[in-house]
Amino acid sequence: MNKKLFILLLILLVFTSCKKQDSKEISQTITFDIPFEFGGISRGIYYDFTKQRQLFYISEPYTQKKLFFYDLEGAKVDSIPLKEVSNIIQKIEAIFVRNLDSIVVFGSEKIVLINKRGQIKVNNDLSKFAANEKGDLFMFRFSSLSNFSYSSKKIHVNCSWYNNAFNDYFEKYKVGTLECGKYYYEQFLKNPDLIAVDNYLTDSISITFSKENNYKKFHQKPYAFSEAFYCREIEDELLLFSHYSNLILRLDKKTMDLVDKIKVISDYSTVGVQPVELSKDNHAAFGKVSSQKLQSEASIFDLLYNEKKELFYVILAHDFSKKEGQDIKYRPFSILMYDKNLKKVKETKFDYGTHSPYYCIATQKGLLVLNRYE
């Protein structure tokens, strides 16, 4: 067994007077007996309405091919097989548990609904929507960290323009050249980068593209980047954030139109990885340059929501100059707490080596934060 230690960090908003609001922190260590090596695998919180409790779930879709459930005391309470769905989806990107008999699995541009026995109930393939009437071709990506609404019949998925069936740019530009890269990013900014998927739990799905490219709301220049923005669905809003910006975008869920921009400000770091423009000096090694910047510069890692307490938590990784023997998984970070109007209340900083910003999960009680374990 691989025992993993989580700290249940309760960062609560309290009112010390009629006008003044303050916060307090309480921590509790919870040990989960997870029977596999812990990594960047789908995980989340599911509310069990039958027993009025929240359960933590985590998947291992490659060797054991199971979805494991634990209560918030660390006890394993159930598991569901993923063998059948893993034969359809080669790389599972996200799992959303609506209830134990309605589990949505995302990956390889597919949305698959399974029951508690792991049997396929619905299998939808978004790739059939890959081409629009103008010949533009899109790929679809699911965020492994996405939040979804239990009641919504609609979800939102990232899409990325990659070519045009009537105007193949690979015939114009040699792959790997600076000209090819610049043309791609220019075209990407001209096309939508978000879709709404309606009736995703049925065999009759439909999609709607965003009216414009959302990346331009973070940056006007066609900067190069290795990861798209992340989308969180919270009540009637979409909240978008990017590693490459200090902004959180508030979008209307129905229209996908911009409502507001919130700037994330930390007391300890300048927020946002500085994006780069492709040039003769960096385009050949862009992947390496981008990876180094993501690992060393401060950026927003996640945006979580405590529905019961109406609190938002921004998980912010700080600047980090990795030394020999250090594990980047435990880089320094902060948890920034915001009220329901996205007004900053408090920032709590964690130094290197104590906890991990890569594994934070919102519960009704507070945040589950991975503690360092051997």
Side-chain angles (χ1 to χ4, degrees), residues 42 57 59 67 69 80 82 85 89 92-107 110-116 119-124 142 146 148-150 152 155 157 197 199-202:
S42 296
Y57 63 84
S59 70
L67 180 65
F69 293 85
I80 290 175
L82 298 175
V85 71
I89 300 178
I92 293 176
E93 299 173 34
I95 294 177
F96 171 52
V97 180
R98 294 174 58 85
N99 59 63
L100 290 182
D101 206 36
S102 181
I103 299 167
V104 191
V105 185
F106 306 88
K110 293 181 173 64
I111 303 174
V112 179
L113 182 67
I114 65 174
N115 60 23
K116 60 185 176 183
Q119 299 168 325
I120 307 297
K121 297 172 68 176
V122 177
N123 180 8
N124 284 307
F142 308 97
S146 289
F148 302 104
S149 168
Y150 287 103
S152 177
I155 60 170
V157 177
V197 184
N199 300 313
Y200 72 100
L201 297 175
T202 73

Side-chain angles (χ1 to χ4, degrees), residues 8-21:
L8 181 56
L9 184 66
L10 306 182
I11 305 180
L12 307 177
L13 180 64
V14 296
F15 293 89
T16 55
S17 68
C18 293
K19 297 182 178 181
K20 183 181 178 182
Q21 62 182 21

Side-chain angles (χ1 to χ4, degrees), residues 48 75 110 140 152 175 198 220 265-266 294 307 364 374:
D48 181 2
K110 293 181 173 64
F140 304 101
S152 177
V175 177
D198 284 294
Q220 287 297 316
I265 300 175
S266 169
L294 284 171
E307 184 176 5
Q364 289 183 347
E374 301 299 333

Side-chain angles (χ1 to χ4, degrees), residues 163-230:
N163 209 338
N164 186 286
F166 309 136
N167 186 21
D168 186 350
Y169 75 98
F170 290 137
E171 295 179 355
K172 298 180 180 180
Y173 306 102
K174 185 178 179 180
V175 177
T177 62
L178 176 61
E179 292 74 19
C180 183
K182 283 189 172 182
Y183 181 83
Y184 165 77
Y185 284 109
E186 288 170 358
Q187 294 303 310
F188 176 88
L189 289 175
K190 295 178 181 178
N191 283 280
D193 54 3
L194 187 67
I195 62 169
V197 184
D198 284 294
N199 300 313
Y200 72 100
L201 297 175
T202 73
D203 293 315
S204 304
I205 64 170
S206 61
I207 72 167
T208 304
F209 284 92
S210 57
K211 298 173 186 175
E212 58 183 341
N213 186 284
N214 288 287
Y215 187 83
K216 290 192 293 186
K217 299 165 186 173
F218 292 111
H219 295 289
Q220 287 297 316
K221 288 186 177 181
Y223 287 119
F225 56 90
S226 60
E227 295 186 36
F229 59 81
Y230 295 89

Side-chain angles (χ1 to χ4, degrees), residues 154-344:
K154 177 187 296 186
I155 60 170
H156 293 78
V157 177
N158 295 73
C159 65
S160 299
W161 180 94
Y162 70 91
N163 209 338
N164 186 286
F166 309 136
N167 186 21
D168 186 350
Y169 75 98
F170 290 137
E171 295 179 355
K172 298 180 180 180
Y173 306 102
K174 185 178 179 180
V175 177
T177 62
L178 176 61
E179 292 74 19
C180 183
K182 283 189 172 182
Y183 181 83
Y184 165 77
Y185 284 109
E186 288 170 358
Q187 294 303 310
F188 176 88
L189 289 175
K190 295 178 181 178
N191 283 280
D193 54 3
L194 187 67
I195 62 169
V197 184
D198 284 294
N199 300 313
Y200 72 100
L201 297 175
T202 73
D203 293 315
S204 304
I205 64 170
S206 61
I207 72 167
T208 304
F209 284 92
S210 57
K211 298 173 186 175
E212 58 183 341
N213 186 284
N214 288 287
Y215 187 83
K216 290 192 293 186
K217 299 165 186 173
F218 292 111
H219 295 289
Q220 287 297 316
K221 288 186 177 181
Y223 287 119
F225 56 90
S226 60
E227 295 186 36
F229 59 81
Y230 295 89
C231 178
R232 298 290 175 266
E233 306 198 18
I234 299 172
E235 297 181 350
D236 59 349
E237 288 187 322
L238 299 177
L239 299 178
L240 274 55
F241 66 92
S242 167
H243 292 312
Y244 298 91
S245 175
N246 63 350
L247 297 175
I248 295 173
L249 307 181
R250 302 178 77 165
L251 273 60
D252 181 274
K253 184 182 285 190
K254 291 183 179 180
T255 64
M256 292 183 278
D257 292 336
L258 181 66
V259 175
D260 194 13
K261 294 182 180 182
I262 294 89
K263 184 177 291 187
V264 176
I265 300 175
S266 169
D267 297 330
Y268 306 98
S269 293
T270 300
V271 181
V273 174
Q274 183 60 44
V276 298
E277 293 185 72
L278 284 181
S279 67
K280 292 181 179 179
D281 297 326
N282 66 25
H283 84 278
F286 171 71
K288 183 178 180 180
V289 172
S290 177
S291 177
Q292 289 175 342
K293 290 175 72 66
L294 284 171
Q295 292 183 36
S296 62
E297 297 181 20
S299 67
I300 301 172
F301 266 32
D302 205 355
L303 174 61
L304 306 172
Y305 182 58
N306 185 324
E307 184 176 5
K308 184 176 181 180
K309 302 183 184 301
E310 296 185 310
L311 294 175
F312 292 91
Y313 303 98
V314 172
I315 311 302
L316 174 69
H318 289 301
D319 296 322
F320 181 54
S321 180
K322 186 175 179 293
K323 299 177 182 178
E324 185 176 353
Q326 288 187 325
D327 188 343
I328 192 171
K329 183 166 63 178
Y330 299 106
R331 66 187 292 178
F333 70 102
S334 281
I335 297 174
L336 290 78
M337 183 172 70
Y338 291 77
D339 65 18
K340 63 181 180 180
N341 298 312
L342 280 170
K343 302 296 183 183
K344 184 179 174 182

